[in-house]
Amino acid sequence: MRISEVDHVADTLDGVRRTTSAGLAQWRYHGRVVARQLDDTLLAIRAEFDYRDAVLRQFPGTFSLPARFAKHMMVVADLDGGDPGAIEDALVAAWELQHSGG
């Protein structure tokens, strides 16, 4: 998956807007982070703790949890080697979380 594909998914999510900070993309719903690009291949995605635990178990080659995100409702997706469908589902779940005010 590429950043352009993340853009395509984000474009389908009502109210999500792309911004850029320090050359890296961020997608937000009314100012609330849905996802943000960490580098060319890694994407931090907002995730409830239970959802995060589930995707870490189900897709260990796609998602990881660096120590700096352990206390945050975030999971990191590997855009290069990860499952595109799982990443898309995580983006939709992040939007649903922010859309509901979570």
Side-chain angles (χ1 to χ4, degrees):
M1 184 171 232
R2 298 172 195 254
I3 292 299
S4 61
E5 293 169 287
V6 174
D7 268 334
H8 177 73
V9 173
D11 282 344
T12 69
L13 304 173
D14 186 45
V16 173
R17 301 289 175 256
R18 178 187 168 149
T19 61
T20 305
S21 177
L24 299 173
Q26 298 181 26
W27 295 266
R28 294 176 176 266
Y29 175 79
H30 296 285
R32 301 177 79 179
V33 173
V34 171
R36 64 183 176 92
Q37 181 183 6
L38 300 177
D39 61 27
D40 290 340
T41 63
L42 297 177
L43 184 70
I45 303 173
R46 183 88 164 156
E48 288 183 306
F49 293 117
D50 289 343
Y51 182 84
R52 178 179 80 181
D53 293 344
V55 297
L56 287 168
R57 280 192 312 274
Q58 291 176 348
F59 301 97
T62 299
F63 298 104
S64 63
L65 183 60
R68 69 182 179 154
F69 291 115
K71 293 182 181 181
H72 301 279
M73 293 174 63
M74 301 292 277
V75 67
V76 175
D78 177 355
L79 297 177
D80 261 357
D83 180 303
I87 295 169
E88 182 174 343
D89 289 348
L91 289 165
V92 172
W95 172 78
E96 289 172 345
L97 175 64
Q98 299 300 47
H99 187 262
S100 69

